[in-house]
Amino acid sequence: MSSAASTAHSLAEVIERELRARGSSVRAAKDQAYLKSELVHYGVGVPDTRTVVRSALHTAELDHEVLVELAEALWNPAPIGIDAPVFDLRSAATMVITQAQDHLGAGDSDFLERLLRQARTWALVDPLAGDVVGPLAEYDLEFDPVLERWSGDEDFWIRRSALLAHLKPLQEGRGDFERFTRFADAMLEKKEFFIRKAIGWVLRETARTRPDMVFEWMLPRAHRASGVTMREVVKHLSPEQRDALLAAKGTSRSRAGSR
């Protein structure tokens, strides 16, 4: 075993032990049912998982190799003696990757894509796509062809990832709105709930700082958008803009959840 693998496995064992100790069988059953998950669940909340990860990494010297080895050991924990994938360990892996993402780049897109394909739940896909891929893709142009390919993937979780990679930059008043809307336009009439929700979510957050831009893009497409998408889009628009979009869609304010 290499030095990096040994270090990573030691850290993974610490994280696994601490998470198992903080787990709750009652919460585990509830989480598993809520997420419709086939993974093992320890029943640890996000704040506790984050605390465990931060404590484990506080004095650790991570480089690229140790980071990837650690994430791999948490994601598929057979190397540390755990027979089946554990949701809480996969959640910890996403936090490890997020915390140390400055060690990653476009060369790791295959690694990240594999995790996204195996995740199969918004609770893992969303932080990987939004908190990791998004910030990396904003500043590394080599991610461009990756996102383009993802946007047309047969797996809706990968398509959702292509959308959510735009969330943080657009939310913060930057980002590639043209590319996001090109992706969104091609997916606007898709039937998957998680695609419809993602389009609305990104547009909703973009509208916090640039409502006119969102309104102008959405108006000629309102008749094609799902109710799920529209309920998100209108939340940060002016009353006049909401009314115009809902009229274009043919939906009442009350049904759209306007406030």
Side-chain angles (χ1 to χ4, degrees), residues 5-149:
S6 177
T7 299
H9 290 181
S10 295
L11 288 170
E13 287 170 350
V14 169
I15 291 171
E16 190 279 332
R17 185 169 60 248
E18 289 296 318
L19 290 178
R20 187 189 291 270
R22 291 172 182 247
S24 159
S25 60
V26 173
R27 177 168 187 145
K30 289 181 179 179
D31 288 352
Q32 192 168 33
Y34 174 64
L35 295 174
K36 299 180 175 62
S37 172
E38 297 179 357
L39 301 177
V40 174
H41 281 249
Y42 288 169
V44 185
V46 169
D48 274 355
T49 304
R50 187 173 292 117
T51 295
V52 168
V53 169
R54 285 176 176 169
S55 176
L57 299 187
H58 180 63
T59 57
E61 295 184 8
L62 294 187
D63 57 19
H64 177 271
E65 188 176 359
V66 173
L67 167 60
V68 172
E69 288 277 1
L70 175 55
E72 293 276 19
L74 292 170
W75 196 265
N76 292 303
I80 60 171
I82 308 299
D83 293 335
V86 179
F87 171 81
D88 311 77
L89 296 182
R90 289 191 167 187
S91 181
T94 69
M95 294 178 188
V96 167
I97 294 168
T98 301
Q99 185 168 327
Q101 64 183 264
D102 56 326
H103 293 296
L104 300 175
D108 299 291
S109 61
D110 287 348
F111 162 66
L112 295 171
E113 181 176 336
R114 177 165 53 80
L115 300 188
L116 288 166
R117 289 191 185 279
Q118 293 174 357
R120 314 304 301 170
T121 173
W122 61 266
L124 298 172
V125 167
D126 292 6
L128 283 171
D131 297 335
V132 179
V133 175
L136 291 174
E138 185 179 11
Y139 297 109
D140 190 338
L141 296 179
E142 292 186 27
F143 266 101
D144 288 356
V146 175
L147 295 183
E148 294 286 346
R149 177 170 54 80

